[in-house]
Amino acid sequence: MKLGRSTLKIGELATGQDLELNLFEFAPEVLTGPSVYIQANVHGAEVQGNAVIYQLMQALEGCELRGKITLVPLANPLGINQKSGEFTLGRFDPITGVNWNREYLDHKLDIASWYQGHKHLNDAELIAHFRALLVERCYSRLHEPWGITTGHRLAVSLQQMGHEADIVLDLHTGPKSCKHLYCPEYDQDAAKYFSIPYTLLIPNEFGGAMDESIFCPWWQLSEYLATQAREIEVPVSAFTLELGSQENVDLADALVDAEGILAYLSLRGVIGERISPSGMPRYACHLKDYKKYHAPLGGLVEYKAKVGQPLLAGEPLANILRVDRYGQEDAIVPLSLPVDCVPVLHFASASVNQGTELYKVMTKVFPL
């Protein structure tokens, strides 16, 4: 399958140069399957998704393709190049302070009013018109006469491409993290196909991230149609894949995740090959049971609990070392949690202020 290449202008630098993204596309001569949009590296330090896209492109060259696949590695050149010494700081827009992954457009549609003008359409026509509405609203936002921020322009440009697809995958990593998947509650069965052991089931509402910006309007449409005695399954799927720790590239591990993505694309009929998902055990919890633990005091942290490994209530989570209190009983303060959990990620640095988000853990975990 021949690979197509193009660029997309997403802004201009102060020195006048265009800021561009590289786009890669696989497309069959005749489209018979769903279309796919995959992006990586919206946060500057979260580079592993680019390695997964590389492995995917290599695999797709030998696949029987039925749907169009658009891939956008290095999706945030501003964040990727936001370096300080040996560290990449590109999690927040340095101009506004907003998380790069919270800049997407919340359409806030009046579904009832829109449907009154379109209820005469059959299901396929209704879906096509609704998709066109979402794309057009992104286009209008990008051409807002009062202008929009640099970060919002980047996000809405990515979102517009996502709205043109049936399947959207946003590839991320955590600070020090195990692999985990953000999956909408209504699409829970999809989590069994990716090569990811832990899933966070997120409510069907907009919280600012890319995946939510894509699936929430469709879920809202589906819910409203049900009140009108018209059943349409949510026709668009969107997920965030967290692929381990930031500032790390592992091509062998990227191949494992690429194979999981291909298993899902096989299920959906995007490719003709039959690819079975990994037989690994998979576990989940609801987002409301995904808990943050904040450092109760400042100091130097010895992280004891390993990410991705179950932790029983009362077992060691971390130690906080206070060298300033040498010779006193509280020079080393052991930390633990009162419930069974699975630590998913922890803060990247060993020095923390009081109140630092030290760990995120899954509680009330159940098998998928």
Side-chain angles (χ1 to χ4, degrees):
M1 180 59 60
K2 187 176 180 180
L3 175 65
R5 300 170 183 248
S6 60
T7 59
L8 174 68
K9 179 179 174 179
I10 56 167
E12 297 178 3
L13 298 175
T15 48
Q17 292 97 334
D18 289 347
L19 190 62
E20 294 183 329
L21 299 179
N22 289 301
L23 313 181
F24 298 86
E25 183 179 281
F26 291 88
E29 292 184 3
V30 179
L31 292 172
T32 59
S35 59
V36 181
Y37 172 83
I38 303 175
Q39 68 180 28
N41 215 170
V42 165
H43 288 139
E46 300 182 9
V47 293
Q48 177 66 1
N50 299 307
V52 173
I53 285 180
Y54 175 84
Q55 297 287 29
L56 273 173
M57 291 195 293
Q58 292 225 309
L60 289 169
E61 287 188 6
C63 283
E64 176 195 340
L65 201 62
R66 296 175 179 175
K68 182 177 75 171
I69 302 177
T70 302
L71 305 111
V72 186
L74 307 167
N76 181 0
L78 289 171
I80 294 161
N81 289 294
Q82 190 185 345
K83 304 290 289 189
S84 179
E86 60 187 283
F87 300 103
T88 307
L89 303 180
R91 184 172 184 82
F92 301 97
D93 182 341
I95 301 171
T96 63
V98 178
N99 185 328
W100 290 110
N101 195 39
R102 296 296 184 272
E103 296 265 33
Y104 299 99
L105 177 62
D106 183 358
H107 291 289
K108 297 181 180 177
L109 297 171
D110 184 346
I111 300 287
S113 296
W114 180 86
Y115 182 64
Q116 289 307 306
H118 296 82
K119 61 184 178 181
H120 62 284
L121 301 174
N122 64 37
D123 289 354
E125 292 170 337
L126 192 74
I127 289 169
H129 277 74
F130 194 70
R131 187 189 304 277
L133 170 68
L134 298 176
V135 171
E136 188 280 329
R137 287 176 66 88
C138 287
Y139 178 87
S140 295
R141 186 64 175 163
L142 291 170
H143 294 84
E144 163 65 43
W146 289 94
I148 57 176
T149 67
T150 301
H152 192 45
R153 178 172 298 280
L154 168 66
V156 177
S157 297
L158 299 173
Q159 184 179 354
Q160 182 173 346
M161 290 189 287
H163 279 317
E164 293 172 348
D166 303 303
I167 299 167
V168 173
L169 305 180
D170 191 12
L171 310 184
H172 285 257
T173 62
K176 299 295 182 180
S177 175
C178 68
K179 294 180 185 179
H180 54 291
L181 174 75
Y182 285 89
C183 176
E185 291 173 338
Y186 69 82
D187 215 357
Q188 177 177 327
D189 285 346
K192 300 174 184 177
Y193 289 84
F194 298 102
S195 299
I196 295 180
Y198 295 105
T199 294
L200 299 170
L201 297 172
I202 59 178
N204 309 321
E205 57 190 40
F206 184 74
M210 175 63 160
D211 54 354
E212 297 159 344
S213 76
I214 298 300
F215 74 71
C216 282
W218 291 101
W219 178 81
Q220 291 162 1
L221 175 65
S222 179
E223 287 290 291
Y224 178 75
L225 292 178
T227 69
Q228 305 300 302
R230 186 170 181 177
E231 298 291 334
I232 294 182
E233 290 188 6
V234 179
V236 168
S237 298
F239 311 95
T240 295
L241 283 66
E242 299 278 354
L243 304 171
S245 300
Q246 64 189 27
E247 299 280 28
N248 180 68
V249 168
D250 184 328
L251 286 166
D253 198 39
L255 181 58
V256 173
D257 289 308
E259 290 170 346
I261 291 172
L262 289 170
Y264 179 69
L265 299 186
S266 171
L267 168 75
R268 295 293 305 274
V270 179
I271 57 176
E273 288 77 9
R274 295 177 61 87
I275 300 176
S276 298
S278 166
M280 67 169 61
R282 294 173 175 85
Y283 301 91
C285 80
H286 292 279
L287 190 64
K288 63 183 176 63
D289 298 318
Y290 187 45
K291 303 296 186 181
K292 300 175 182 178
Y293 178 74
H294 299 87
L297 69 160
L300 306 178
V301 182
E302 179 187 19
Y303 295 99
K304 301 291 288 183
K306 304 300 182 184
V307 295
Q309 296 183 13
L311 186 73
L312 296 178
E315 289 188 337
L317 181 73
N319 289 323
I320 293 189
L321 170 64
R322 290 293 300 266
V323 183
D324 60 307
R325 297 186 182 179
Y326 176 76
Q328 302 178 46
E329 290 185 358
D330 59 352
I332 296 178
V333 179
L335 304 177
S336 62
L337 295 173
V339 296
D340 296 349
C341 65
V342 176
V344 170
L345 59 83
H346 66 69
F347 194 61
S349 174
S351 59
V352 302
N353 297 324
Q354 185 180 39
T356 295
E357 188 180 283
L358 205 59
Y359 272 91
K360 286 185 177 180
V361 303
M362 296 172 62
T363 67
K364 299 182 181 179
V365 178
F366 54 89
L368 282 176

